[in-house]
Structures are given as structure tokens and as C-alpha cells.
């Protein structure tokens, strides 16, 4: 590993399930103070990688934070360091939104200990950051999909973890809330010095919000580095089998799929850029 001062370091991480290798020797860095985006086509292994880092899936290899190994998966100590928003998570019991967010403070509480003033402040701040305060007293089951997604993100934010792993956190959100959530995650990284890792399918949003990008395909990292370099990489079109158009609208980067590539074009793609 090179150059990582503080943050999350993933070394040679692999996941095998049922005899299949889903993640294969992934090495990457997610520094504190930055948003690292994980991109790649469906089935590339992005969610599996995040679940391995979160400690939900057993894995080979090493994951460290600020140079130290992480506490045991499932432990409260680990939950105090790593916040995880899984893909498509939902809430099926009718607690209020505020109560759902309060659950994010559990790793900080002793057995039978109730919320202290600092916990309540963390919950209210997380509700406010996700624009969820106005429905905080409604049952989660009576909220829209996008509102529920914001509450679940608020629960992760309320935990004040050093690392935030968010798997497609904006998938259910309207454009305004997509921007707001990504800006909020950037703010969590920069102002609070957290390492934020986010899986995104929207490449324009990734270009705008992420300092670093990791492009995955077939369980491996294809290329990683500064967002602009990864988006300019010849591998982008090839792994998605899509010709992307790239430009700027009022100084904001835009990456949009233009047309699908056939197998032969995909094979030629890296050479086309190299020439
Ligand atoms: N529990 C499992 N058992 C077996 N195979 C799995 C399991 N979970 C995921 N897979 C397979 O592993 C591969 C990677 O899945 P993963 O969910 O990590 O991809 P992804 O990059 O997050 O995709 P998407 O963009 O569609 O969410 C896929 O081929 C998927 O079918």
C-alpha cells in the first residue's frame, strides 16, 4: 500500500461463496477526508466488497483503519468505527423515523442505558442533515421509499463512525435529494474527517462528488485513482460495454451513456485510447 496517511486500507480482499469467487484480490485505499466511489456494472462485486469491509461477510485479506486491524465483526467496537448502509435496505416495523435513527446510537450505549443529551443531539443532527426532521414522528412504514432511504442514512450518520460505507444511497431519491445526500456525504468526509465509501451507478454524480473512484468488474479492481483519471480511462467504456459522452454543464462534470458497444468494439476499446 502506498501513501495512505489515515483511513481505510483494503489489502488483497477476497470473498468466495458457494465455490464462486465474487471478489478477487481487491486492494484499495479510502482516505479520511475524501469520498471514494465504487463504480462498475451489475454483478461486478461492489456490494459484496462493501459487505466484506463492513464485516457482514467473511473474507480473505486484510482491512485496517488508520493502520490498525478492525475489531471483530459484529462487535460494538467495530460498529462504533464503521457505519454501513446496505443496498436496498428497508424497515418493516412501524417505529417512528426518530426511533429508527436512535438505533444508530446503540453501539455507543451500555446495556439498558438510555440516550444521553449527546445521543439526542446526534440523532436530531442526523435527521436535519437528511431533511427528515419534518416526518421524524411518523411511522417509518408510512413514509415514501425516498423518505425511508433518508431515515436509514440518518441512522448511519447518527453513529458518528470514522468510516461510512453506503451502497447506492441515492438510488431511491429524487434529483434534489440525490444532490443533497451526496453533498452531505462530502461534508461528512471533509468536515468530520471520515473515510466515506459509496457505491454509485450515476457516473455524473460520482464525477461530481468523489475525489477518488474505483472501477470494478468481475470481482476485481480494473482501475482506481483520482476520479477524472478513472472516468477518462479506456476501461470505462469497455467494462460497461457502453460509449460514454463526457463534458461539463456549467462547470459540472457530466458522464452520459451514448450507445451500447458490441463485443468487437469492447475488445478494441483500450487500444483505441492508447493510440
Ligand atoms: N449470496 C450470494 N451467493 C452467491 N452469489 C452471490 C451472492 N451474492 C451475490 N452473488 C453474486 O456475486 C456477484 C457480485 O454481486 P454483487 O451484489 O456484489 O454485485 P454488484 O456489483 O453490487 O451489482 P449491482 O450493481 O447489480 O448491485 C453477482 O454475480 C451475484 O450474482
Amino acid at each position: 500500500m502506498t501513501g495512505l496517511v489515515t483511513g481505510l486500507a483494503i489489502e488483497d480482499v477476497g470473498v468466495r461463496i458457494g465455490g464462486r469467487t465474487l471478489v478477487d484480490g481487491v486492494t484499495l485505499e479510502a482516505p479520511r477526508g475524501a469520498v471514494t466511489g465504487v463504480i462498475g456494472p451489475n454483478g461486478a462485486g461492489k456490494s459484496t466488497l462493501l459487505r466484506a469491509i463492513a464485516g457482514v461477510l467473511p473474507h480473505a485479506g486484510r482491512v485496517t483503519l488508520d493502520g490498525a486491524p478492525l475489531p471483530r465483526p459484529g462487535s460494538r467496537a467495530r460498529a462504533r468505527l464503521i457505519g454501513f448502509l446496505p443496498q436496498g435496505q428497508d424497515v418493516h416495523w412501524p417505529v417512528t423515523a426518530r426511533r429508527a435513527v436512535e438505533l444508530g446510537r446503540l453501539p455507543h450505549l451500555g446495556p439498558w442505558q438510555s440516550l444521553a443529551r449527546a445521543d439526542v443531539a446526534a440523532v436530531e443532527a442526523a435527521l436535519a442533515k437528511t431533511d427528515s426532521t419534518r416526518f421524524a414522528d411518523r411511522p417509518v412504514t408510512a413514509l415514501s421509499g425516498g423518505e425511508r432511504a433518508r431515515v436509514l442514512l440518518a441512522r448511519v450518520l447518527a453513529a458518528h463512525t470514522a468510516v461510512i460505507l453506503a451502497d447506492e444511497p441515492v438510488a431511491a431519491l429524487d434529483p434534489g435529494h440525490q444532490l443533497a445526500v451526496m453533498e452531505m456525504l462530502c461534508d461528512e468526509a471533509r468536515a468530520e474527517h471520515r473515510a466515506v465509501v459509496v457505491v454509485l451507478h450515476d457516473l455524473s454524480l460520482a464525477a461530481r462528488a468523489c475525489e477518488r473512484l474505483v472501477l470494478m468488474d468481475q470481482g476485481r479492481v480494473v482501475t482506481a485513482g483520482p476520479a477524472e483519471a478513472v472516468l477518462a480511462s479506456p476501461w470505462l467504456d469497455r467494462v460497461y460495454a457502453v460509449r460514454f459522452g463526457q463534458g461539463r454543464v456549467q462547470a459540472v462534470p457530466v458522464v452520459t451513456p451514448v450507445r451500447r458497444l458490441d463485443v468487437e468494439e469492447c475488445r478494441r476499446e483500450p487500444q483505441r485510447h492508447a493510440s
Side-chain angles (χ1 to χ4, degrees):
M1 308 294 290
T2 55
L4 181 71
V5 180
T6 56
L8 193 67
I10 296 145
E11 256 178 290
D12 204 19
V13 163
V15 177
R16 277 179 71 79
I17 299 181
R20 267 190 74 200
T21 300
L22 308 187
V23 169
D24 192 4
V26 167
T27 294
L28 61 91
E29 296 173 346
R32 284 182 183 255
V35 178
T36 301
V38 183
I39 58 174
N42 291 140
K46 307 178 297 296
S47 297
T48 306
L49 176 66
L50 249 61
R51 294 175 74 208
I53 302 169
V56 178
L57 278 180
H59 63 84
R62 257 162 55 91
V63 181
T64 56
L65 177 64
D66 303 335
L70 290 171
R72 183 175 51 80
S75 63
R76 285 153 47 86
R78 188 155 170 144
R80 282 195 294 269
L81 291 177
I82 298 208
F84 178 40
L85 181 68
Q87 182 180 16
Q89 195 187 32
D90 213 341
V91 180
H92 300 289
W93 63 99
V95 294
T96 64
R98 180 173 280 105
R99 182 69 191 132
V101 178
E102 285 172 359
L103 296 176
R105 293 301 297 172
L106 282 182
H108 296 276
L109 301 179
W112 311 113
Q113 191 185 345
S114 50
L115 297 177
R117 194 183 296 177
D119 301 306
V120 172
V123 168
E124 295 307 321
L127 285 165
K129 281 178 184 174
T130 55
D131 192 23
S132 306
T133 307
R134 63 199 141 89
F135 47 76
D137 294 316
R138 286 172 49 197
V140 179
T141 45
L143 300 178
S144 78
E147 290 166 345
R148 277 202 303 280
R150 277 147 52 199
V151 170
L152 291 168
L153 180 60
R155 182 167 71 177
V156 173
L157 293 185
H160 288 182
T161 50
V163 177
I164 295 175
L165 307 173
D167 194 347
E168 297 188 35
V170 298
L173 306 186
D174 65 65
H177 282 106
Q178 287 192 359
L179 274 185
V181 162
M182 291 314 298
E183 281 167 6
M184 190 258 302
L185 288 173
C186 291
D187 198 49
E188 287 293 309
R190 288 165 202 161
E192 307 296 335
H193 205 51
R194 308 190 202 285
V196 176
V197 182
V198 55
V199 172
L200 288 171
H201 278 301
D202 184 329
L203 299 182
S204 295
L205 214 50
R208 184 187 169 120
C210 304
E211 281 89 351
R212 298 172 54 78
L213 286 178
V214 178
L215 174 63
M216 288 188 70
D217 191 28
Q218 299 181 25
R220 294 168 183 245
V221 173
V222 177
T223 183
E228 272 188 35
V230 170
L231 293 171
S233 146
W235 295 105
L236 189 75
D237 288 15
R238 179 169 177 162
V239 301
Y240 285 98
V242 161
R243 175 80 69 233
F244 286 99
Q246 302 198 22
R248 287 181 182 267
V249 176
Q250 295 181 350
V252 177
V254 175
V255 184
T256 190
V258 174
R259 69 173 177 86
R260 291 197 292 154
L261 300 179
D262 63 31
V263 175
E264 190 49 40
E265 285 178 303
C266 284
R267 213 187 341 258
R268 283 202 305 268
E269 199 51 26
Q271 288 87 335
R272 190 180 75 88
H273 282 254
S275 60

